[in-house]
Amino acid sequence: MTASQFTRGPAMRDVATAAGVSAQTVSRVLNDHPNVQESTRRRVLAVVEELGYRRNNTARALVTGQSKTIGVLTLATNNYSRSSLALGVELGAREAGYTVNSVTSSLSVQALTDAVSRLVHQGVDGIIIAAPLQEAAEQVSKITARIPTVNTDGSSNMGDRMVGVDQDIAAVLATKHLLDLGHKTVWHVAGPVEWSDAASRLGSWRRTLQEAGCEVPPELHGDWSPESGYRNGLILGRMPEVTAILVASDEMAFGVIRALTELGRRIPEDVSVVGIDDIDLAAFSNPPLTTIRQSFEDTGRRAVQRLVAQIANPALAGSPDLVAPTLIVRGSTAPPPAAK
Amino acid sequence: MTASQFTRGPAMRDVATAAGVSAQTVSRVLNDHPNVQESTRRRVLAVVEELGYRRNNTARALVTGQSKTIGVLTLATNNYSRSSLALGVELGAREAGYTVNSVTSSLSVQALTDAVSRLVHQGVDGIIIAAPLQEAAEQVSKITARIPTVNTDGSSNMGDRMVGVDQDIAAVLATKHLLDLGHKTVWHVAGPVEWSDAASRLGSWRRTLQEAGCEVPPELHGDWSPESGYRNGLILGRMPEVTAILVASDEMAFGVIRALTELGRRIPEDVSVVGIDDIDLAAFSNPPLTTIRQSFEDTGRRAVQRLVAQIANPALAGSPDLVAPTLIVRGSTAPPPAAK
DNA sequence: GGAGATTCTGTTATGGATAACAAATATTGT
DNA sequence: ACAATATTTGTTATCCATAACAGAATCTCC
């Protein structure tokens, strides 16, 4: 009944026997130990080739205590940032000789701790958390206390283990761009408050307006989905005074634009819209979306690098590793309509 | 120098000692074996709780030969289908009590075989391949001969291990929709020929036109990216006779529409465009995109189910598991312009 | 009451690789 | 030439949990 139609391949012992050496010698050859005679090395490698032998990583992990695997925790939603970060992590891991174990979770404390727990017991050497921890932070840090961890959402109290994009700058760039175009103020469709990215953007947007002496309108909230952007767009589009909107993600921005369009407001003639993320489709929407570029893929890569460094040297403290985003001006922003 | 600041947690032996029983008894408790006295069970569980003990899955995998892990191979590109499939796989795996190990690859024979190889030696119980194998098929099937495998791209000769969406129907639905609206014929921006999805869509589009007695225009090719759609759109938009286009993916369709718009052709008044996939943003583009809905997430889930069944019973043959897609009519399609 | 079946628990062997130690052979220096 | 060192290879113990087997204790039924 068990899956035993699939026989296991040869073991190191088999290779050893066939090559007329001990298993340990085979191990040495495979691990590039210096003290192996060239002739035996070649003989062993020949047998390895012939038998199609591959080292069993499970056994290896058991004895070395290192699985050469890193775990990634993401939320169970399919958005651009999640998937490109995951891609970056995979590429980075491959470069570093690691394999990726991914789990998804919902946003509850229980689900998050379960997910992290699953990763730890799966034997990963380190964990990348790409989800807002919030109340789960304490519980989770108990579990991750014994294992290197990197965060890409700074909500937790793991400031020194943060890797990401400077969200403050992102929102400042976007807001200033709109103000520079001559808009009196900028409205904001924020992301879910649980996400620290969303929170920083919200804070910076507000601060930028205040510093510029502009009135700070009440912010609206979405959940990163295009639908939520659409709903908020239906509200914003009804208010004639709204001429500039900063949307916390490109995907929501698409929804906002659609809603505004349906309400008869032209982009960018009547209303300017700025997104954040620069998703692949942003350049090809109608109109093309002005946005803030931040490479999630790059973030994923850097997170892996940081993590691997931490695995090699756990004492490594380090400061937050934040990268500056850039403003990409496209067709969705323009000066406000002349008449008032 | 090795990562040993992070001490390993307690082992089963420690729990056993603390509870005054043998390791085997602890194992029995943790595996819900029937023959354990209620009092000892409780005692063991109490100690487990107290010590924060967790079973070491690596050791478990080594002795049982099952890692409760499935491997997923995808190409190293970040598109909607890839990521939502991956999400579906993760959700499905969690439901089935499995963990996911993901690797990405480029499209070369070498890279693909390496990637599969990595998964196998990582000790996964089964593999889901979500990439076109093509010339690598033979090599790969050698590696996967000993391990359950499911394909979501039917390019390989693994017909009986296929799970996916019926791509023939998808293209037929789309093409017929356009013909039904009164278009004389339908142009096609296909995906990369290596992908069997792209190939089936191309074939069905052609056949549908032929059966309807329509002229079959030469097809254009993209690489699934919005950019490639844009490039093809710049070509199609220059030909006045083009009034209907079937684009092999929504993401390319966005690019096509952008190009047509820039060339002054209105959608859908001048040209109708149909995409395939129904990505989240399709409903919120300008105009909203008529498309063929196929749930990748669901495909991922089904792939896992199929795989898990195969792991439990390797003899299981089974026929391709294809699901019918549906047409979603939105604003990007309309009857052809009256005048000629 | 005692042979045989049940229930509970412990002991030993196993999975595949590596670390630590040990032995054999080769090389160097004086 | 012989002790001292370096190189190459082998042996044994270990990582942690489970399977297979075995012993002790309790129960069943005639």
Side-chain angles (χ1 to χ4, degrees):
Chain A
M1 209 45 70
T2 50
S4 46
Q5 180 199 30
F6 301 105
T7 45
R8 295 193 188 191
M12 195 172 265
R13 177 185 304 169
D14 304 317
V15 176
T17 308
V21 296
S22 73
Q24 182 65 156
T25 298
V26 176
S27 172
R28 278 192 268 254
V29 170
L30 263 33
N31 287 317
D32 288 322
H33 274 243
N35 296 336
V36 179
Q37 204 162 332
E38 191 50 34
S39 59
T40 39
R41 156 168 273 117
R42 271 202 298 270
R43 184 149 36 97
V44 168
L45 288 178
V47 175
V48 164
E49 179 70 22
E50 186 193 343
L51 266 55
Y53 167 76
R54 293 290 151 184
R55 239 177 340 194
N56 181 320
N57 282 321
T58 306
R60 203 152 182 249
L62 181 60
V63 68
T64 61
Q66 298 236 152
S67 60
K68 285 288 178 182
T69 291
I70 66 184
V72 183
L73 169 66
T74 55
L75 287 198
T77 54
N78 179 28
N79 54 35
Y80 181 83
S81 55
R82 184 197 96 100
S83 65
S84 43
L85 186 109
L87 180 58
V89 167
E90 245 143 59
L91 295 175
R94 176 146 48 111
E95 286 162 13
Y98 279 75
T99 265
V100 176
N101 223 154
S102 33
V103 302
T104 58
S105 163
S106 57
L107 201 42
S108 73
V109 174
Q110 184 64 42
L112 286 167
T113 52
D114 278 2
V116 173
S117 192
R118 230 174 319 142
L119 282 178
V120 172
H121 306 132
Q122 197 60 25
V124 299
D125 292 341
I127 297 181
I128 293 174
I129 299 180
L133 255 25
Q134 300 284 96
E135 315 93 61
E138 199 185 339
Q139 292 263 16
V140 166
S141 64
K142 261 185 217 157
I143 306 178
T144 57
R146 325 196 118 166
I147 192 170
T149 308
V150 164
N151 248 261
T152 64
D153 186 272
S155 66
S156 68
N157 46 10
M158 301 176 161
D160 58 330
R161 295 175 166 192
M162 258 288 294
V163 172
V165 172
D166 192 325
Q167 299 301 336
D168 290 321
I169 297 184
V172 170
L173 283 176
T175 309
K176 281 212 170 129
H177 169 61
L178 290 168
L179 293 180
D180 288 350
L181 284 170
H183 292 273
K184 274 228 182 88
T185 191
V186 176
W187 290 67
H188 184 41
V189 177
V193 281
E194 301 88 32
W195 287 82
S196 79
D197 284 2
S200 336
R201 289 171 196 172
L202 175 58
S204 311
W205 159 78
R206 191 177 286 141
R207 191 164 1 91
T208 307
L209 287 183
Q210 283 167 346
E211 284 171 6
C214 301
E215 185 200 348
V216 180
E219 81 273 9
L220 310 184
H221 280 280
D223 63 4
W224 297 135
S225 73
E227 289 81 2
S228 69
Y230 180 76
R231 285 197 306 274
N232 283 306
L234 289 179
I235 295 168
L236 290 167
R238 286 187 161 88
M239 299 186 278
E241 66 184 288
V242 175
T243 65
I245 308 173
L246 165 59
V247 188
S249 85
D250 285 358
E251 281 166 308
M252 290 198 293
F254 271 71
V256 169
I257 290 178
R258 173 98 284 267
L260 294 178
T261 304
E262 286 180 6
L263 291 173
R265 308 206 59 180
R266 292 163 305 159
I267 321 288
E269 293 81 359
D270 299 331
V271 184
S272 288
V273 176
V274 176
I276 297 184
D277 284 353
D278 192 28
I279 70 176
D280 289 345
L281 287 176
F284 301 97
S285 66
N286 204 359
L289 189 63
T290 293
T291 187
I292 306 292
R293 172 175 298 169
Q294 51 176 313
S295 174
F296 292 101
E297 198 175 313
D298 179 57
T299 299
R301 268 210 169 82
R302 285 185 294 126
V304 172
Q305 285 160 7
R306 177 74 161 258
L307 187 62
V308 169
Q310 214 178 115
I311 290 171
N313 177 12
L316 209 85
S319 47
D321 169 12
L322 295 179
V323 160
T326 55
L327 172 72
I328 309 286
V329 179
R330 298 206 182 93
S332 68
T333 49
K340 177 61 200 290
Chain B
M1 209 42 68
T2 50
S4 46
Q5 180 200 34
F6 300 104
T7 45
R8 295 193 187 193
M12 195 172 266
R13 177 185 305 169
D14 304 317
V15 176
T17 307
V21 297
S22 74
Q24 182 65 146
T25 299
V26 177
S27 172
R28 277 191 270 254
V29 170
L30 264 31
N31 287 317
D32 287 322
H33 275 244
N35 296 335
V36 180
Q37 204 161 331
E38 189 52 32
S39 58
T40 36
R41 155 169 274 117
R42 272 202 298 270
R43 185 150 35 97
V44 168
L45 288 177
V47 175
V48 164
E49 178 70 23
E50 186 193 341
L51 266 54
Y53 168 77
R54 293 290 152 184
R55 239 178 339 198
N56 179 321
N57 281 321
T58 305
R60 206 155 179 244
L62 181 60
V63 68
T64 61
Q66 298 235 153
S67 60
K68 284 289 180 181
T69 291
I70 64 184
V72 184
L73 170 65
T74 56
L75 287 198
T77 54
N78 179 28
N79 55 34
Y80 181 82
S81 55
R82 183 198 97 99
S83 65
S84 45
L85 186 109
L87 180 59
V89 167
E90 245 143 60
L91 295 174
R94 176 146 49 113
E95 286 161 13
Y98 279 76
T99 265
V100 176
N101 223 155
S102 33
V103 303
T104 58
S105 164
S106 57
L107 201 41
S108 73
V109 174
Q110 184 63 42
L112 286 166
T113 51
D114 277 3
V116 173
S117 191
R118 228 171 326 139
L119 283 178
V120 172
H121 305 131
Q122 197 60 24
V124 299
D125 292 341
I127 297 180
I128 293 174
I129 298 180
L133 254 25
Q134 300 285 97
E135 316 94 60
E138 198 184 340
Q139 291 265 16
V140 167
S141 65
K142 260 185 216 159
I143 306 177
T144 57
R146 328 195 115 168
I147 191 170
T149 308
V150 165
N151 248 263
T152 64
D153 185 90
S155 66
S156 67
N157 47 10
M158 300 176 161
D160 58 330
R161 295 174 165 193
M162 257 290 293
V163 172
V165 172
D166 193 324
Q167 299 301 335
D168 290 321
I169 296 183
V172 170
L173 283 176
T175 309
K176 282 212 169 130
H177 168 62
L178 290 168
L179 293 179
D180 288 351
L181 284 171
H183 292 274
K184 274 225 180 90
T185 190
V186 176
W187 290 66
H188 183 41
V189 177
V193 281
E194 301 87 32
W195 288 81
S196 79
D197 284 2
S200 338
R201 289 171 196 172
L202 176 59
S204 311
W205 158 78
R206 192 178 284 139
R207 192 166 357 92
T208 307
L209 286 183
Q210 283 167 346
E211 283 170 7
C214 301
E215 185 200 347
V216 180
E219 80 272 8
L220 309 182
H221 280 281
D223 64 4
W224 297 137
S225 73
E227 289 81 2
S228 69
Y230 181 76
R231 284 197 306 273
N232 283 306
L234 288 179
I235 295 169
L236 290 167
R238 288 189 161 86
M239 299 186 277
E241 65 185 289
V242 175
T243 65
I245 308 173
L246 165 59
V247 188
S249 84
D250 285 358
E251 282 166 307
M252 289 198 293
F254 270 72
V256 169
I257 290 176
R258 173 97 284 264
L260 294 177
T261 305
E262 287 181 5
L263 291 173
R265 307 205 59 179
R266 292 163 305 161
I267 321 288
E269 294 81 0
D270 299 330
V271 184
S272 288
V273 175
V274 176
I276 297 184
D277 284 352
D278 192 28
I279 69 176
D280 289 345
L281 286 176
F284 301 96
S285 66
N286 204 357
L289 190 63
T290 293
T291 187
I292 306 293
R293 171 175 298 170
Q294 50 177 315
S295 173
F296 292 101
E297 198 175 314
D298 180 57
T299 300
R301 267 210 169 80
R302 284 186 294 126
V304 172
Q305 284 161 8
R306 178 73 162 259
L307 187 63
V308 169
Q310 215 180 110
I311 290 171
N313 178 10
L316 209 87
S319 46
D321 169 12
L322 295 180
V323 160
T326 56
L327 172 71
I328 309 286
V329 179
R330 297 206 182 94
S332 68
T333 49
K340 177 59 202 288

